[in-house]
Amino acid sequence: MKVLGIGSNYVTDVKDIKEKKKAKKFIFSKPETALAVNCDVIYPSSITNELIYEVELVIKIGKAGKNITKREANSYISEIAIGIDYTATDILKDARETKHPWEFAKGFDGAAPISSFKSITAFPNLADINFSLIINGEEKQKSNTAYMINDFADIIVFISKYMTLQPGDLIFTGTPALGKGEIFKGDHLQCYIEDELLLDFKMI
């Protein structure tokens, strides 16, 4: 299984999408061991003192494909979930300063909490999916897929130019433009798609 993600993929105003699409897409990966499925997550205090959260919709690939066209791309999605992309920012800063790879900043155990998946048939319009994150009872992030710079199909097309996508591969599709921030031990996170609570866990 590949666990991939795209950086900086949402705007606050849809009129900005056209211009933002001109920027180079930035793809990163996490190992499968980063996944934490519907369970509490241990705060990685032994490696970081600055952990940043980003809520994201996650698409699952349902069939193998290479050099996928935009027209066909959404047919490769089998299911959708919601998850958190955690980044150990202190590790990331150090890696950037030394020009070293930064897998450890994104790929530590528990760096990708994720919900159970819902069939793609539950989403009649992929360009209109609301999702949100509540921490300790306070809404921190909220957006809709209409605000994506690169939609699901764009991401699939781009990735499949470089690597074959296979059944079970997961793609974190970007976080809302506002609201990401630091998470702490003891925090309670709740992630929603539309009004359905799909991911509910604590940092322990």
Side-chain angles (χ1 to χ4, degrees), residues 73-172:
N74 284 338
S75 72
Y76 284 78
I77 304 171
S78 61
E79 298 171 276
I80 295 178
I82 193 165
I84 302 290
D85 169 20
Y86 277 142
T87 305
T89 306
D90 45 359
I91 298 176
L92 180 62
K93 290 176 181 176
D94 182 66
R96 285 174 170 168
E97 288 175 1
T98 57
K99 297 183 179 180
H100 288 168
W102 43 269
E103 280 84 354
F104 288 154
K106 287 277 194 181
F108 53 89
D109 290 352
I114 192 171
S115 72
S116 300
F117 280 82
K118 293 175 65 72
S119 170
I120 191 67
T121 60
F123 303 94
N125 185 358
L126 299 183
D128 184 19
I129 302 174
N130 292 297
F131 65 106
S132 60
L133 167 65
I134 292 174
I135 301 178
N136 301 328
E138 181 181 352
E139 186 175 85
K140 294 292 188 178
Q141 289 191 283
K142 182 177 183 178
S143 195
N144 181 285
T145 50
Y147 291 84
M148 297 180 83
I149 299 168
N150 301 285
D151 62 21
F152 296 155
D154 291 332
I155 298 169
I156 290 170
V157 168
F158 181 73
I159 291 174
S160 71
K161 289 180 181 178
Y162 296 89
M163 59 182 71
T164 299
L165 288 171
Q166 297 175 310
D169 286 348
L170 305 182
I171 304 174
F172 282 68

